[in-house]
Amino acid sequence: MQATDLFSLELMREHIRMDEGQVSDLLLKAYADAALAHCFKVCDEPAWEDADDVPAPVKAAMLLILGDLNENREAASAQQVVVNPMAQNMLLMCRNWYGGKLPEVAQP
């Protein structure tokens, strides 16, 4: 799954408040895919096979992380880059704490 399966490039640009000429589609997609990969790694939920399976908090967290990646794209920064607490909280709400696919439970 790619970030553009969840959101259009236009919506992502609106979120980071940049017009089409200010950031290329390629760069925006790279940041968005990295943000989505981070969300999936934290949540560890193999049951999400298409965009409709991804919960709203994870989608919102992806946008927040996208904004952070765009804002802090330089390797060196005058500000200390920290974890976005709202994004982290939303991801932990949706985390599969079991660590994989849930086992089948036999019905009596």
Side-chain angles (χ1 to χ4, degrees):
M1 185 178 327
Q2 298 180 24
T4 51
D5 295 333
L6 302 177
F7 298 108
S8 68
L9 290 174
E10 292 77 23
L11 188 133
M12 289 187 249
R13 266 197 201 86
E14 182 180 340
H15 176 72
I16 62 171
R17 295 182 177 107
M18 287 201 167
D19 294 328
E20 191 170 345
Q22 293 178 288
V23 62
S24 72
D25 289 354
L26 189 60
L27 182 61
L28 183 58
K29 189 170 175 346
Y31 289 156
D33 285 339
L36 183 61
H38 175 76
C39 292
F40 281 3
K41 181 177 180 185
V42 170
C43 292
D44 194 22
E45 179 52 79
W48 299 339
E49 294 181 5
D50 61 44
D52 292 335
D53 297 333
V54 180
V58 175
K59 292 176 182 178
M62 190 214 93
L63 289 175
L64 290 173
I65 294 167
L66 169 64
D68 288 343
L69 288 171
N70 179 64
E71 186 70 26
N72 301 296
R73 62 182 128 191
E74 300 298 326
S77 174
Q79 296 177 332
Q80 180 181 2
V81 179
V82 295
V83 173
N84 185 315
M86 182 59 74
Q88 194 69 11
N89 288 341
M90 286 190 283
L91 292 175
L92 292 179
M93 267 186 345
C94 299
R95 179 157 173 45
N96 176 350
W97 294 99
Y98 186 75
K101 187 173 180 177
L102 295 175
E104 298 284 329
V105 177
Q107 298 295 324

